[in-house]
Amino acid sequence: SSVEQKIYVVLNETVPCVRLLNATHQIGCQSSISGDTGVLHVLETESDLDWILSSGPHPPYMVIMETAFFNRSVMMRMKNSSRVAGVAVIISKTGLADNFSPHTTCPNQNTGVYSESYGSDLANCNGTVWNPLGNGLSYEDFSFPVFALKDENQTQVLRKCYEDHNQRVNGSAPQYPLCAMQLFSHMHAVTDTVTCMRRTDLQNRFSINPEVLCDPLSDFNVWTSTRPLNNSAKGHAADESVVIAATRLDGRSFFWEQAPAAEGTVSGIVTLLATIQALYPVTQEAPPPRNIFFSFFQGEAFDYIGSSKMVYDMEKNDFVIDMNNVHSMLEIGQVGLLSGRSLWMHSDPVSRQNKSVDTEVSEMMSRIQSAAAGLKLTVDHPSVSQPLPPSSFQRFLRARRIPGLVLADHNTSFTNRYYESMYDDAENLNVTYPPGLTPDEQLVYETDAAKSLAEVATLVARSLYLQAGGEENNLNNITADPKIVAQLLYGFLVQKNNSWFRSLLPPEVTKKGVNSPGPPQFYIGLGPRVHGPAHSVTRFVQYILANLTGTVTNLTESQCQNPSELSTENKDLFSYFWVSGPASVNGTREPFCVRASVRLSKAVSPAFELLEYGSRNYSTWTESRWKSIRARIFLVASRELEMLTLGVGVAVLLLSLLVTYFISSKAELLFSSARETPTTTY
């Protein structure tokens, strides 16, 4: 309403911290059901923090802070204070610390392979602390709302409101009216996943209008193979020996859907996609004896959701291959921050106690080192006793002791100083462009990071070809294209709404625009419920894979969408994609159909299929639902003025009631007129 618009200034470009739950506890943030309100105070110095937590006369405070103060020490002091109503963090690189990782020091420590029954001395990162910079902030539970402010203009509005009304003068308290902020982020779910799912199940059973309180984190894995696999045949694939090449699709940060994940995730995605581009033509002309199976796993940041689901399906004979088809595995970890151009091959010391596994792993290392010949890379391996870093490969080892390696840019601890934070972005991966380039020029500009990852992709492609039994004399034909890498980095880290990505997607997606500007976010979220059939990142990878490995057909749109009606096409071996195609000079596009062996498979924890919401073997992460997420600022009067206004209002009400009663009781006297003597006319 117009009155509301005069009172409140609504802040649109905000991102909340939301509540997540697992089998044992809840993490994240929430407001009260009616929103939390506090007087604005900008945290710029240590004295500001003392003012907020102890000496300020106008609690509770809504704290506005720059990045420099957004750390565990400050947040925990505010968590333990009743004088804080909420926090708003200004997202900027100003004052950014040399490192910031709100994740734990030992990611996914309870769902990896190391446990009391498997390498007990290596469990809980006893051997190596992988993320020593982790402060665990993302795994705390805050009883007040915490928002991120993304829009610079709205940040300036906040600052002006604070400076005009709330700023201290010579250390004295500001006078009313004061600038206040209200944050709404009430979460429906509480306690843990077990409680939430039980309450949801009860509502579904007995309520006419059931309300879902939380949803399992879910989406889809993306996979393809150099030789098509029959998607309708489940279980063991006869005469198939498969080398798995894998990486993860997702990341996370403290704030909801703010996960650029450049080094943590994108470096692996880009490397594996470029690997496929380099490897695919050669595998068609000179196919190696073994099939190469490429997989992109979703939900790995939350206790290996995607990989555990694929392994579960393999064990239940509900996938195109089973564990007995798996010959070996090579996983691409964080590979974007090469120190001295060195890559490290991590292996599992427990499975290598088996002589045949150890022999195969050693041979695998030798093949990778021979594939590195002529490249500007050095490849080495850590101490044999060092455990695997957090990786999807660990979930495969839980099912079967298969030979495998994890390729990464770190020997021991991560080199990524911003692991699982909103600052693991393009700049962290050194993806920068000269000034003055147009978006289309930036798209194809080969940065140093692109050239570096192209080298890594070439190494991985040649290594996989050798591991699959390919001839060494074909290796020189396997080289990753730096231009493809440059386009992938630009699309995933800078601008997803670019000409190349648009040409790969279906026309209905292209016409609507590729969602919002900027890079995609890699938080798995709720996949199908929020993003349609699949998360945007999943969709991008699926269609990029189809472009890199598929064949253009002459099928019409209706034939492409229903290929089973054609005797010449095989829907069991291939998927069919109706894509927009590149734009012509006048901007028009001619869509066409692509045939490719690219598939999606569910990435949802088996715990929710088994209804084991308290499982210790599988991920149990859920995300709470909410009704509204919003923020607004307004001026608030002093308590005395509010009470005076209330008192005057009550007095006016009582007076009006008294006057109304008096008038009503004297109505005959006040409103009756003298009766006129009737006259009669004859």
Side-chain angles (χ1 to χ4, degrees), residues 406-426:
V406 177
L407 202 62
D409 57 19
H410 53 89
N411 178 9
T412 53
S413 302
F414 297 158
T415 55
N416 187 0
R417 296 174 294 124
Y418 301 105
Y419 180 72
E420 301 291 41
S421 86
M422 55 191 168
Y423 302 113
D424 184 12
D425 54 12

PDB file of all heavy atoms in Angstrom, residues 406-426:
ATOM      1  N   VAL A 406      42.946 -39.984  -6.773  1.00  0.00           N
ATOM      2  CA  VAL A 406      42.338 -38.659  -6.792  1.00  0.00           C
ATOM      3  C   VAL A 406      43.420 -37.668  -7.186  1.00  0.00           C
ATOM      4  O   VAL A 406      44.460 -37.575  -6.516  1.00  0.00           O
ATOM      5  CB  VAL A 406      41.744 -38.286  -5.413  1.00  0.00           C
ATOM      6  CG1 VAL A 406      41.194 -36.861  -5.456  1.00  0.00           C
ATOM      7  CG2 VAL A 406      40.651 -39.266  -5.017  1.00  0.00           C
ATOM      8  N   LEU A 407      43.196 -36.954  -8.286  1.00  0.00           N
ATOM      9  CA  LEU A 407      44.181 -35.990  -8.786  1.00  0.00           C
ATOM     10  C   LEU A 407      43.853 -34.610  -8.225  1.00  0.00           C
ATOM     11  O   LEU A 407      42.718 -34.137  -8.347  1.00  0.00           O
ATOM     12  CB  LEU A 407      44.123 -35.970 -10.312  1.00  0.00           C
ATOM     13  CG  LEU A 407      45.359 -35.449 -11.064  1.00  0.00           C
ATOM     14  CD1 LEU A 407      46.566 -36.326 -10.781  1.00  0.00           C
ATOM     15  CD2 LEU A 407      45.060 -35.411 -12.559  1.00  0.00           C
ATOM     16  N   ALA A 408      44.829 -33.962  -7.590  1.00  0.00           N
ATOM     17  CA  ALA A 408      44.572 -32.659  -6.961  1.00  0.00           C
ATOM     18  C   ALA A 408      45.824 -31.798  -7.003  1.00  0.00           C
ATOM     19  O   ALA A 408      46.929 -32.277  -7.274  1.00  0.00           O
ATOM     20  CB  ALA A 408      44.111 -32.852  -5.517  1.00  0.00           C
ATOM     21  N   ASP A 409      45.621 -30.486  -6.715  1.00  0.00           N
ATOM     22  CA  ASP A 409      46.749 -29.550  -6.747  1.00  0.00           C
ATOM     23  C   ASP A 409      47.418 -29.394  -5.383  1.00  0.00           C
ATOM     24  O   ASP A 409      48.264 -28.526  -5.207  1.00  0.00           O
ATOM     25  CB  ASP A 409      46.293 -28.179  -7.270  1.00  0.00           C
ATOM     26  CG  ASP A 409      45.158 -27.595  -6.434  1.00  0.00           C
ATOM     27  OD1 ASP A 409      44.953 -28.027  -5.292  1.00  0.00           O
ATOM     28  OD2 ASP A 409      44.452 -26.689  -6.944  1.00  0.00           O
ATOM     29  N   HIS A 410      47.037 -30.207  -4.414  1.00  0.00           N
ATOM     30  CA  HIS A 410      47.617 -30.110  -3.072  1.00  0.00           C
ATOM     31  C   HIS A 410      48.247 -31.452  -2.673  1.00  0.00           C
ATOM     32  O   HIS A 410      47.705 -32.515  -2.975  1.00  0.00           O
ATOM     33  CB  HIS A 410      46.554 -29.695  -2.053  1.00  0.00           C
ATOM     34  CG  HIS A 410      45.318 -30.566  -2.059  1.00  0.00           C
ATOM     35  ND1 HIS A 410      45.205 -31.702  -1.290  1.00  0.00           N
ATOM     36  CD2 HIS A 410      44.160 -30.473  -2.761  1.00  0.00           C
ATOM     37  CE1 HIS A 410      44.025 -32.265  -1.505  1.00  0.00           C
ATOM     38  NE2 HIS A 410      43.373 -31.542  -2.400  1.00  0.00           N
ATOM     39  N   ASN A 411      49.363 -31.362  -1.978  1.00  0.00           N
ATOM     40  CA  ASN A 411      50.043 -32.549  -1.473  1.00  0.00           C
ATOM     41  C   ASN A 411      49.373 -33.028  -0.195  1.00  0.00           C
ATOM     42  O   ASN A 411      48.950 -34.166  -0.076  1.00  0.00           O
ATOM     43  CB  ASN A 411      51.524 -32.218  -1.226  1.00  0.00           C
ATOM     44  CG  ASN A 411      52.299 -33.388  -0.644  1.00  0.00           C
ATOM     45  OD1 ASN A 411      51.792 -34.498  -0.581  1.00  0.00           O
ATOM     46  ND2 ASN A 411      53.525 -33.134  -0.219  1.00  0.00           N
ATOM     47  N   THR A 412      49.249 -32.113   0.761  1.00  0.00           N
ATOM     48  CA  THR A 412      48.571 -32.451   2.019  1.00  0.00           C
ATOM     49  C   THR A 412      47.303 -31.598   2.123  1.00  0.00           C
ATOM     50  O   THR A 412      46.315 -31.898   1.495  1.00  0.00           O
ATOM     51  CB  THR A 412      49.511 -32.236   3.219  1.00  0.00           C
ATOM     52  OG1 THR A 412      50.042 -30.900   3.172  1.00  0.00           O
ATOM     53  CG2 THR A 412      50.672 -33.217   3.174  1.00  0.00           C
ATOM     54  N   SER A 413      47.351 -30.522   2.936  1.00  0.00           N
ATOM     55  CA  SER A 413      46.166 -29.684   3.115  1.00  0.00           C
ATOM     56  C   SER A 413      45.812 -28.944   1.825  1.00  0.00           C
ATOM     57  O   SER A 413      46.659 -28.733   0.953  1.00  0.00           O
ATOM     58  CB  SER A 413      46.412 -28.663   4.233  1.00  0.00           C
ATOM     59  OG  SER A 413      46.729 -29.328   5.435  1.00  0.00           O
ATOM     60  N   PHE A 414      44.523 -28.532   1.716  1.00  0.00           N
ATOM     61  CA  PHE A 414      44.061 -27.785   0.547  1.00  0.00           C
ATOM     62  C   PHE A 414      44.871 -26.500   0.363  1.00  0.00           C
ATOM     63  O   PHE A 414      45.208 -25.825   1.337  1.00  0.00           O
ATOM     64  CB  PHE A 414      42.592 -27.374   0.705  1.00  0.00           C
ATOM     65  CG  PHE A 414      41.622 -28.524   0.799  1.00  0.00           C
ATOM     66  CD1 PHE A 414      40.375 -28.344   1.390  1.00  0.00           C
ATOM     67  CD2 PHE A 414      41.930 -29.781   0.296  1.00  0.00           C
ATOM     68  CE1 PHE A 414      39.466 -29.386   1.489  1.00  0.00           C
ATOM     69  CE2 PHE A 414      41.043 -30.834   0.392  1.00  0.00           C
ATOM     70  CZ  PHE A 414      39.804 -30.633   0.992  1.00  0.00           C
ATOM     71  N   THR A 415      45.155 -26.171  -0.893  1.00  0.00           N
ATOM     72  CA  THR A 415      45.757 -24.866  -1.189  1.00  0.00           C
ATOM     73  C   THR A 415      44.689 -23.783  -1.322  1.00  0.00           C
ATOM     74  O   THR A 415      45.003 -22.597  -1.366  1.00  0.00           O
ATOM     75  CB  THR A 415      46.571 -24.925  -2.501  1.00  0.00           C
ATOM     76  OG1 THR A 415      45.723 -25.403  -3.543  1.00  0.00           O
ATOM     77  CG2 THR A 415      47.774 -25.850  -2.361  1.00  0.00           C
ATOM     78  N   ASN A 416      43.428 -24.192  -1.375  1.00  0.00           N
ATOM     79  CA  ASN A 416      42.301 -23.274  -1.524  1.00  0.00           C
ATOM     80  C   ASN A 416      42.045 -22.546  -0.203  1.00  0.00           C
ATOM     81  O   ASN A 416      41.583 -23.150   0.772  1.00  0.00           O
ATOM     82  CB  ASN A 416      41.056 -24.054  -1.957  1.00  0.00           C
ATOM     83  CG  ASN A 416      39.886 -23.151  -2.284  1.00  0.00           C
ATOM     84  OD1 ASN A 416      39.974 -21.928  -2.191  1.00  0.00           O
ATOM     85  ND2 ASN A 416      38.773 -23.754  -2.663  1.00  0.00           N
ATOM     86  N   ARG A 417      42.315 -21.236  -0.171  1.00  0.00           N
ATOM     87  CA  ARG A 417      42.157 -20.459   1.062  1.00  0.00           C
ATOM     88  C   ARG A 417      40.713 -20.066   1.330  1.00  0.00           C
ATOM     89  O   ARG A 417      40.380 -19.572   2.409  1.00  0.00           O
ATOM     90  CB  ARG A 417      43.029 -19.194   0.999  1.00  0.00           C
ATOM     91  CG  ARG A 417      44.525 -19.485   0.928  1.00  0.00           C
ATOM     92  CD  ARG A 417      45.344 -18.222   0.721  1.00  0.00           C
ATOM     93  NE  ARG A 417      45.072 -17.628  -0.585  1.00  0.00           N
ATOM     94  CZ  ARG A 417      44.656 -16.375  -0.755  1.00  0.00           C
ATOM     95  NH1 ARG A 417      44.442 -15.590   0.288  1.00  0.00           N
ATOM     96  NH2 ARG A 417      44.444 -15.902  -1.975  1.00  0.00           N
ATOM     97  N   TYR A 418      39.838 -20.263   0.350  1.00  0.00           N
ATOM     98  CA  TYR A 418      38.431 -19.872   0.499  1.00  0.00           C
ATOM     99  C   TYR A 418      37.502 -21.054   0.234  1.00  0.00           C
ATOM    100  O   TYR A 418      36.437 -20.909  -0.346  1.00  0.00           O
ATOM    101  CB  TYR A 418      38.107 -18.718  -0.454  1.00  0.00           C
ATOM    102  CG  TYR A 418      38.960 -17.496  -0.215  1.00  0.00           C
ATOM    103  CD1 TYR A 418      39.999 -17.157  -1.081  1.00  0.00           C
ATOM    104  CD2 TYR A 418      38.758 -16.691   0.899  1.00  0.00           C
ATOM    105  CE1 TYR A 418      40.795 -16.045  -0.850  1.00  0.00           C
ATOM    106  CE2 TYR A 418      39.549 -15.576   1.137  1.00  0.00           C
ATOM    107  CZ  TYR A 418      40.561 -15.264   0.254  1.00  0.00           C
ATOM    108  OH  TYR A 418      41.348 -14.165   0.493  1.00  0.00           O
ATOM    109  N   TYR A 419      37.898 -22.219   0.697  1.00  0.00           N
ATOM    110  CA  TYR A 419      37.142 -23.449   0.455  1.00  0.00           C
ATOM    111  C   TYR A 419      35.708 -23.330   0.980  1.00  0.00           C
ATOM    112  O   TYR A 419      35.479 -22.952   2.120  1.00  0.00           O
ATOM    113  CB  TYR A 419      37.856 -24.626   1.131  1.00  0.00           C
ATOM    114  CG  TYR A 419      37.185 -25.962   0.953  1.00  0.00           C
ATOM    115  CD1 TYR A 419      37.206 -26.608  -0.276  1.00  0.00           C
ATOM    116  CD2 TYR A 419      36.527 -26.579   2.022  1.00  0.00           C
ATOM    117  CE1 TYR A 419      36.587 -27.840  -0.443  1.00  0.00           C
ATOM    118  CE2 TYR A 419      35.914 -27.816   1.862  1.00  0.00           C
ATOM    119  CZ  TYR A 419      35.948 -28.436   0.630  1.00  0.00           C
ATOM    120  OH  TYR A 419      35.331 -29.662   0.472  1.00  0.00           O
ATOM    121  N   GLU A 420      34.747 -23.651   0.109  1.00  0.00           N
ATOM    122  CA  GLU A 420      33.315 -23.622   0.433  1.00  0.00           C
ATOM    123  C   GLU A 420      32.867 -22.275   1.010  1.00  0.00           C
ATOM    124  O   GLU A 420      32.113 -22.212   1.984  1.00  0.00           O
ATOM    125  CB  GLU A 420      32.952 -24.746   1.416  1.00  0.00           C
ATOM    126  CG  GLU A 420      33.259 -26.147   0.920  1.00  0.00           C
ATOM    127  CD  GLU A 420      32.381 -26.620  -0.221  1.00  0.00           C
ATOM    128  OE1 GLU A 420      32.106 -25.799  -1.117  1.00  0.00           O
ATOM    129  OE2 GLU A 420      31.993 -27.785  -0.237  1.00  0.00           O
ATOM    130  N   SER A 421      33.343 -21.195   0.407  1.00  0.00           N
ATOM    131  CA  SER A 421      32.899 -19.867   0.822  1.00  0.00           C
ATOM    132  C   SER A 421      32.485 -19.068  -0.408  1.00  0.00           C
ATOM    133  O   SER A 421      32.783 -19.452  -1.545  1.00  0.00           O
ATOM    134  CB  SER A 421      34.004 -19.124   1.574  1.00  0.00           C
ATOM    135  OG  SER A 421      34.871 -18.455   0.679  1.00  0.00           O
ATOM    136  N   MET A 422      31.816 -17.932  -0.177  1.00  0.00           N
ATOM    137  CA  MET A 422      31.356 -17.103  -1.290  1.00  0.00           C
ATOM    138  C   MET A 422      32.514 -16.393  -1.982  1.00  0.00           C
ATOM    139  O   MET A 422      32.316 -15.746  -3.013  1.00  0.00           O
ATOM    140  CB  MET A 422      30.333 -16.081  -0.793  1.00  0.00           C
ATOM    141  CG  MET A 422      30.822 -15.216   0.334  1.00  0.00           C
ATOM    142  SD  MET A 422      29.474 -14.271   1.065  1.00  0.00           S
ATOM    143  CE  MET A 422      30.267 -13.645   2.545  1.00  0.00           C
ATOM    144  N   TYR A 423      33.724 -16.511  -1.434  1.00  0.00           N
ATOM    145  CA  TYR A 423      34.886 -15.852  -2.039  1.00  0.00           C
ATOM    146  C   TYR A 423      35.733 -16.806  -2.876  1.00  0.00           C
ATOM    147  O   TYR A 423      36.771 -16.409  -3.405  1.00  0.00           O
ATOM    148  CB  TYR A 423      35.741 -15.207  -0.950  1.00  0.00           C
ATOM    149  CG  TYR A 423      34.947 -14.200  -0.151  1.00  0.00           C
ATOM    150  CD1 TYR A 423      34.653 -14.420   1.189  1.00  0.00           C
ATOM    151  CD2 TYR A 423      34.445 -13.051  -0.753  1.00  0.00           C
ATOM    152  CE1 TYR A 423      33.898 -13.519   1.911  1.00  0.00           C
ATOM    153  CE2 TYR A 423      33.684 -12.144  -0.041  1.00  0.00           C
ATOM    154  CZ  TYR A 423      33.415 -12.379   1.293  1.00  0.00           C
ATOM    155  OH  TYR A 423      32.656 -11.492   1.996  1.00  0.00           O
ATOM    156  N   ASP A 424      35.288 -18.062  -3.005  1.00  0.00           N
ATOM    157  CA  ASP A 424      35.960 -18.982  -3.927  1.00  0.00           C
ATOM    158  C   ASP A 424      35.376 -18.735  -5.323  1.00  0.00           C
ATOM    159  O   ASP A 424      34.603 -19.512  -5.855  1.00  0.00           O
ATOM    160  CB  ASP A 424      35.726 -20.431  -3.485  1.00  0.00           C
ATOM    161  CG  ASP A 424      36.489 -21.423  -4.351  1.00  0.00           C
ATOM    162  OD1 ASP A 424      37.364 -20.985  -5.136  1.00  0.00           O
ATOM    163  OD2 ASP A 424      36.211 -22.638  -4.255  1.00  0.00           O
ATOM    164  N   ASP A 425      35.778 -17.610  -5.900  1.00  0.00           N
ATOM    165  CA  ASP A 425      35.175 -17.139  -7.150  1.00  0.00           C
ATOM    166  C   ASP A 425      36.225 -17.054  -8.252  1.00  0.00           C
ATOM    167  O   ASP A 425      37.343 -17.560  -8.118  1.00  0.00           O
ATOM    168  CB  ASP A 425      34.504 -15.785  -6.929  1.00  0.00           C
ATOM    169  CG  ASP A 425      35.450 -14.749  -6.321  1.00  0.00           C
ATOM    170  OD1 ASP A 425      36.676 -15.012  -6.280  1.00  0.00           O
ATOM    171  OD2 ASP A 425      34.970 -13.690  -5.886  1.00  0.00           O
ATOM    172  N   ALA A 426      35.865 -16.395  -9.349  1.00  0.00           N
ATOM    173  CA  ALA A 426      36.762 -16.292 -10.509  1.00  0.00           C
ATOM    174  C   ALA A 426      38.102 -15.682 -10.124  1.00  0.00           C
ATOM    175  O   ALA A 426      39.158 -16.119 -10.588  1.00  0.00           O
ATOM    176  CB  ALA A 426      36.093 -15.462 -11.608  1.00  0.00           C
TER     177      ALA A 426
END
